[in-house]
Amino acid sequence: MLARRGFLTLLGGLVMAGFGTSTYAVGVEPFQRPLVTSYALRPANWPAGLKLRVVVLADIHACEPWMPVHRIAGICDQASGLGGDIILLLGDYMSSLRLTGFVEPARWAEALARLKAPLGVHAIIGNHDWLNDPVARLAGHGPTLAHSALAGVGIPVYDNRALRLEKDGRSFWLAGLADQLEPTYPAPDGSGMIPGLDDLPGTLAGIDGDDPIILMAHEPDIFVDVPRRVSLTLAGHTHGGQVRFLGYSPLVPSRYGNRYAYGHIVEHDRHLIVSGGLGLSNLPIRIGSPPEVVVIDIG
């Protein structure tokens, strides 16, 4: 058995370790300069000769003090300097951390306007962008405040639509889904509420030919329904769980738990990359899941 002095020493060590971990989780890791996480892949249906660098930003969650405008601007400058052919924004620009300072949409959008890439900057909307716009959420349709802010700085938003783009004489499609969780609306048969406005079949129906497809989806859960026709699905939303140890996250906002929590997932020759994101959701902590900017070299 431990002597009293030994017990008190052990107890004090545990308390200090807990205090140190909490301090790090709240005051250090969330404020880190984003890591650059790089992936290189060539999906089975990707044409030879088409090389594309995609830079991805997800889950900014603009708020004081964790994600103020000057920090967003710095992240945008960092992302623009990574040599991407195209920059994709995967939603959740707004924050639901109610105890922090609110950042007006026009201000975070002005920071995002610093992003530059030859094939442009393209965006989708996330669930927190609806949750923080009660008027649009109650109406059951946009534009949300985030839609309007992005439009105001010339960044197109993809709500169940696709656009053909070209690089070096070769074409590919960029598609984006409306959010899968918000807003909710009554089922036509009165059986309850239906979440989200996403329409994967309708989005893909507007794509013709055999050119490859990159799909933007805020939540990764849609991946179970994505056909092999799609070369790469990109998602955010999970924040890597915000707390992650040895590749495991104890709490992931997904029906599939850790299956789609973070990183590069390959299932049945289909590729999904889930970003750990930049900001914070619900709890102001990050530990083992630092902010990140994702770079993907395809081809």
Side-chain angles (χ1 to χ4, degrees), residues 1 66 103 232:
M1 296 179 63
W66 289 281
V103 176
L232 174 62

Short mmCIF file of all heavy atoms in Angstrom, two decimals, residues 1 66 103 232:
data_model
loop_
_atom_site.label_atom_id
_atom_site.label_comp_id
_atom_site.label_asym_id
_atom_site.label_seq_id
_atom_site.Cartn_x
_atom_site.Cartn_y
_atom_site.Cartn_z
N MET A 1 0.84 -1.20 0.00
CA MET A 1 0.00 0.00 0.00
C MET A 1 0.88 1.25 0.00
O MET A 1 1.98 1.26 0.53
CB MET A 1 -0.91 0.02 1.23
CG MET A 1 -1.92 -1.12 1.26
SD MET A 1 -2.96 -1.08 2.73
CE MET A 1 -3.80 0.48 2.49
N TRP A 66 -11.52 32.11 -30.36
CA TRP A 66 -10.80 31.02 -31.00
C TRP A 66 -10.59 31.22 -32.50
O TRP A 66 -9.57 30.81 -33.04
CB TRP A 66 -11.51 29.69 -30.73
CG TRP A 66 -11.39 29.24 -29.31
CD1 TRP A 66 -10.31 28.63 -28.73
CD2 TRP A 66 -12.35 29.40 -28.27
NE1 TRP A 66 -10.56 28.40 -27.39
CE2 TRP A 66 -11.80 28.86 -27.08
CE3 TRP A 66 -13.65 29.93 -28.23
CZ2 TRP A 66 -12.49 28.84 -25.88
CZ3 TRP A 66 -14.34 29.91 -27.03
CH2 TRP A 66 -13.76 29.38 -25.87
N VAL A 103 -19.05 36.81 -34.64
CA VAL A 103 -18.37 37.42 -35.77
C VAL A 103 -19.37 37.57 -36.90
O VAL A 103 -19.95 36.58 -37.36
CB VAL A 103 -17.16 36.57 -36.22
CG1 VAL A 103 -16.52 37.19 -37.47
CG2 VAL A 103 -16.14 36.46 -35.10
N LEU A 232 -13.88 11.16 -55.99
CA LEU A 232 -13.45 11.54 -54.64
C LEU A 232 -14.56 12.32 -53.95
O LEU A 232 -15.11 13.25 -54.53
CB LEU A 232 -12.19 12.41 -54.72
CG LEU A 232 -11.67 13.01 -53.41
CD1 LEU A 232 -11.28 11.93 -52.41
CD2 LEU A 232 -10.50 13.96 -53.68
#
